[in-house]
Amino acid sequence: MGLHRVVEPAGVLPQAAWRLDADPRIAPNEVRIRVERLNLDAASFRQLAQKHDGDGAKVRAEVLEIVSARGKMQNPVTGSGGMLIGTVEEAGRRSPLGLAVGDRVATLVSLTLTPLAILDGLARWDGRSEQVPCDGYAILFARSIAAVLPADLHPELALAVLDVCGAPALTARVVAEQVARRERAGDGSPVTVAVIGGAGKSGSLSLAAARRAGAGRTVGVVPVAAERDALVAAGLASVVALADARDPVGVSSAVTTALGGPADVTVVCVDVPGCEHGAVLATADGGTVIFFSMATSFAAAALGAEGLAADVTMLVGNGYVPGHAELALGLVRSEPGVRGLFASRLAAD
């Protein structure tokens, strides 16, 4: 679990640690990765960009400062990090990850718990995109997760997909459970799904996964006309609705109008704070809300649901579901709409 890498405070797991030891010498059950690209999570990058008014040089300097001070990439405001791709440089003889020297891999664990050192000063990054060209190294533990990069996808596309692969996997599981429950009860009504932030990376994958899992009707909620038009063209949602995710009444109205009532499953995939109450209002009693944004406030979600007397189950997407990488990559390969949205986002970055 990497406990021996925790410098301070003592006794916590690496994710909760303030500082990790990023010594390149590995233990017998560790793996060292030569890093070629970081992918900062959306909430972290947005916070840094807003803090520095879009000044890429200042964003780059702060990322370097965080990694130097903490031995990992963990935004002190959002608490989140991201993931990386690179090549296995050394694998300990007792590592259970099944990785070999020379494998090109993407880490499927957060940078917030991954010992990391940057060696090039991020000289090839302008500080204006989530994907960060980088020369450095990172350490994986026995309980870490990594996937060998697929040969048929560009590494930047694979990194973007694997960064959010937990979202479609958990969405598919929850929707399939709802569908099965209704079938057992003899209830023929369709399971409805709302995805707030449906045109983004995790949102587009979640819409595709919900449909594959048996959702009868889906709505993608987006904030601006350009995203609405892109999501309509992608053909991933039954309906696309415009609403600001921070406007609870607006989100609820948009979802209920589109679906003819509140959603059975609501998935939150936006990277801004203040979206909890709209998701709760948009979900039917007995339904489920899945929060995938690192900007989610547990207190706001729990107390908001209590104050609204909302009988909903709320899940925090933890980024890991067995088979999540394969499911997400499969959706990108087989769903042109998903692949098109990812390509557009990468081109814009």
Side-chain angles (χ1 to χ4, degrees):
M1 294 182 288
L3 288 171
H4 62 291
R5 293 276 181 175
V6 174
V7 177
E8 60 175 310
V12 302
L13 291 172
Q15 198 280 332
W18 170 253
R19 186 158 60 97
L20 299 180
D21 177 6
D23 190 315
R25 295 170 296 181
I26 62 170
N29 63 352
E30 293 181 324
V31 172
R32 186 175 66 253
I33 306 294
R34 190 73 180 200
V35 180
E36 62 184 71
R37 187 172 293 268
L38 308 177
N39 191 103
L40 302 182
D41 82 276
S44 176
F45 178 72
R46 178 187 288 269
Q47 186 275 326
L48 291 168
Q50 290 178 340
K51 174 182 177 180
H52 297 294
D53 295 321
D55 187 325
K58 291 182 179 179
V59 172
R60 182 174 60 241
E62 181 160 357
V63 170
L64 286 169
E65 181 182 350
I66 291 170
V67 175
S68 175
R70 306 197 64 175
K72 60 177 178 174
M73 177 56 208
Q74 185 171 27
N75 185 313
V77 176
T78 64
S80 54
M83 58 179 293
L84 62 84
I85 59 173
T87 301
V88 176
E89 201 168 51
E90 184 179 0
R93 67 182 186 279
R94 288 172 41 214
S95 171
L97 301 185
L99 301 177
V101 172
D103 284 345
R104 291 190 74 207
V105 300
T107 60
L108 301 182
V109 291
S110 174
L111 293 176
T112 64
L113 55 83
T114 303
L116 173 68
I118 294 173
L119 304 177
D120 65 349
L122 301 180
R124 293 173 292 140
W125 183 46
D126 63 6
R128 298 180 183 275
S129 68
E130 296 172 9
Q131 293 212 4
V132 184
C134 171
D135 181 36
Y137 63 84
I139 307 298
L140 299 183
F141 312 132
R143 288 288 293 269
S144 299
I145 316 166
V148 176
L149 288 173
D152 62 323
L153 298 178
H154 191 282
E156 290 185 20
L157 174 58
L159 178 60
V161 173
L162 293 171
D163 180 45
V164 295
C165 63
L170 183 55
T171 298
R173 173 189 286 179
V174 170
V175 171
E177 288 172 350
Q178 291 255 12
V179 170
R181 190 176 303 120
R182 291 195 178 181
E183 289 177 348
R184 290 194 299 269
D187 181 351
S189 61
V191 172
T192 58
V193 178
V195 177
I196 302 174
K201 294 188 298 182
S202 57
S204 59
L205 284 166
S206 295
L207 281 167
R211 183 171 61 190
R212 292 243 180 138
R217 191 165 174 79
T218 59
V219 55
V221 180
V222 296
V224 295
E227 290 192 11
R228 177 195 60 199
D229 296 343
L231 190 53
V232 168
L236 298 174
S238 307
V239 186
V240 180
L242 275 175
D244 185 330
R246 298 164 296 185
D247 175 3
V249 175
V251 169
S252 177
S253 177
V255 169
T256 55
T257 299
L259 298 177
D264 298 308
V265 179
T266 300
V267 187
V268 182
C269 295
V270 291
D271 58 2
V272 296
C275 304
E276 299 85 3
H277 296 170
V280 171
L281 271 180
T283 307
D285 280 349
T288 301
V289 184
I290 309 173
F291 292 105
F292 278 106
S293 170
M294 290 295 100
T296 300
S297 163
F298 169 80
L303 297 176
E306 176 186 289
L308 293 167
D311 178 20
V312 295
T313 297
M314 295 185 290
L315 302 178
V316 176
N318 73 356
Y320 175 70
V321 176
H324 59 338
E326 294 81 3
L327 185 149
L329 292 170
L331 289 172
V332 170
R333 293 185 179 106
S334 61
E335 295 278 355
V338 172
R339 188 157 185 160
L341 288 172
F342 270 80
S344 297
R345 185 183 182 97
L346 290 171
D349 286 345

